[in-house]
Amino acid sequence: MSEHLTPVIIVGARGRMGRVLIREVTQSEDYVLTGAVDRSGGPGRGMDAGRVAGTVDIGVTVSDELRPRRAVVVDFSLPSATIDNIRRCVEASVPLVLGTTGICDKTRAALSEAAKTIPIVSDANFSVGISLLTRLAGLAARALGQSWDAELLEIHHKHKRDAPSGTALRLGKAVAKATDRKLADVLCTERSGSAGEPRKDGEIGIVALRGGDSVGEHTLMFLADGERIELTHRATDRAIFARGALRAARWVESRKPGLYSMADVLGLAELR
Ligand code: NAD
């Protein structure tokens, strides 16, 4: 057992990720759950967080208001909740680990502003494998250059609200950046119609499939005449995101204010 337990408050506690996070915290010897928050209404309010997560009672009740104190807030809820959660973390001077995806530009700006005051780790994908894949995507794109066509296929469960996934966009950005492009200028998310134009040079395509219970799959392809490279990551258990987010929570606890990513947590930012 560690000498120091990282206190954690989970926001979105009743959700798919929230419940996994609660289970991971309670099974670990490095963390202690000091709060669990979900929106008002719906089942589970006032219930013990352990019971909500399908384990034993742990003496933490799910509340409908985030009032952080001396803990790291781990937020996997909804984009509409993010701005308010950021504000509450700043007011209480507590670090934030933000996993919620699909946040808008206004929220992104609020995140950057808040990072002047508190340390924040924000990442569209907290898996160690995806963090490495992102770095590999940039390295491959830089080595291959723009003449290799980059196309990305992602698959997620049918409940996912945003498309393409935050991870797919991040991989696309890594490829674009490594080859001196801006993803927004070259992104293509739809190809249909028989009278359509052929693929434009320099385009980066992303296709999103939704269905079943897929935790998340990303395949980045680099295609050239006569050969193709495929880099694939398949998540089969959402516990990988929870473990990564908790690793980030422990790391961010002692950081200076700033906006960090999982690459910083893992030290991948230095990999050239
Ligand atoms: P979910 O819909 O199962 O759960 C979201 C939970 O947030 C729900 O219980 C909902 O009631 C709660 N919620 C809504 N508004 C709230 C508010 N104002 N305050 C507190 N709680 C509120 O979704 P999920 O599958 O658990 O995913 C949650 C988020 O995490 C999504 O944005 C998803 O894309 C993202 N996600 C990120 C990663 C990552 O590694 N970054 C991995 C998986 C999922």
Side-chain angles (χ1 to χ4, degrees):
M1 180 160 171
S2 316
E3 275 181 20
H4 171 70
L5 293 176
T6 302
V8 170
I9 298 171
I10 293 168
V11 182
R14 282 199 311 258
R16 281 176 291 267
M17 277 305 300
R19 282 175 281 149
V20 178
L21 278 158
I22 294 169
R23 285 200 289 274
E24 288 292 322
V25 168
T26 51
Q27 283 163 17
S28 165
E29 297 191 330
D30 294 331
Y31 307 90
V32 58
L33 190 73
T34 59
V37 183
D38 207 291
R39 68 180 161 77
S40 49
R45 185 179 166 229
M47 258 173 79
D48 186 278
R51 190 167 297 198
V52 165
T55 62
V56 294
D57 283 8
I58 50 177
V60 176
T61 304
V62 177
S63 97
D64 58 9
E65 205 189 343
L66 176 61
R67 269 168 287 162
R69 263 187 85 223
R70 284 200 295 274
V72 182
V73 170
V74 178
D75 183 0
F76 280 73
S77 56
L78 283 187
S80 54
T82 310
I83 276 207
D84 193 42
N85 294 338
I86 293 170
R87 182 178 57 78
R88 285 169 189 254
C89 290
V90 168
E91 280 168 7
S93 274
V94 300
L96 169 66
V97 172
L98 181 65
T100 308
T101 63
I103 58 175
C104 63
D105 289 345
K106 190 178 162 202
T107 305
R108 225 169 272 289
L111 204 58
S112 299
E113 193 55 33
K116 292 176 184 163
T117 319
I118 56 169
I120 300 172
V121 183
S122 170
D123 211 304
N125 195 311
F126 275 97
S127 103
V128 171
I130 281 290
S131 297
L132 182 60
L133 180 64
T134 308
R135 187 47 46 148
L136 293 175
L139 291 173
R142 202 192 316 149
L144 298 170
Q146 279 198 33
S147 64
W148 285 63
D149 299 327
E151 295 279 314
L152 208 148
L153 173 69
E154 58 104 332
I155 309 174
H156 281 87
H157 57 85
K158 60 189 168 197
H159 305 291
K160 186 163 178 64
R161 292 161 198 254
D162 49 320
S165 72
T167 304
L169 292 170
R170 196 176 67 172
L171 288 164
K173 275 184 193 150
V175 170
K177 192 175 170 207
T179 45
D180 300 320
R181 287 175 280 181
K182 270 201 172 147
L183 184 63
D185 297 338
V186 294
L187 176 64
C188 175
T189 53
E190 195 176 339
R191 288 196 186 94
S192 64
S194 53
E197 291 179 15
R199 188 184 197 282
K200 291 193 190 83
D201 284 343
E203 216 167 62
I204 296 176
I206 301 184
V207 177
L209 306 188
R210 294 287 175 267
D213 62 355
S214 170
V215 175
E217 300 183 22
H218 294 85
T219 295
L220 172 62
M221 299 181 202
F222 294 98
L223 304 102
D225 292 345
E227 56 186 327
R228 174 161 96 206
I229 297 169
E230 295 186 8
L231 297 173
T232 297
H233 178 268
R234 286 193 187 92
T236 54
D237 186 342
R238 65 183 72 243
I240 60 168
F241 308 121
R243 284 184 212 124
L246 292 175
R247 187 165 164 177
R250 201 159 171 83
W251 180 88
V252 81
E253 224 186 342
S254 54
R255 297 290 137 179
K256 291 190 186 125
L259 189 53
Y260 304 99
S261 71
M262 198 55 187
D264 296 306
V265 175
L266 299 173
L268 288 173
E270 291 88 50
L271 201 71
R272 302 258 164 239

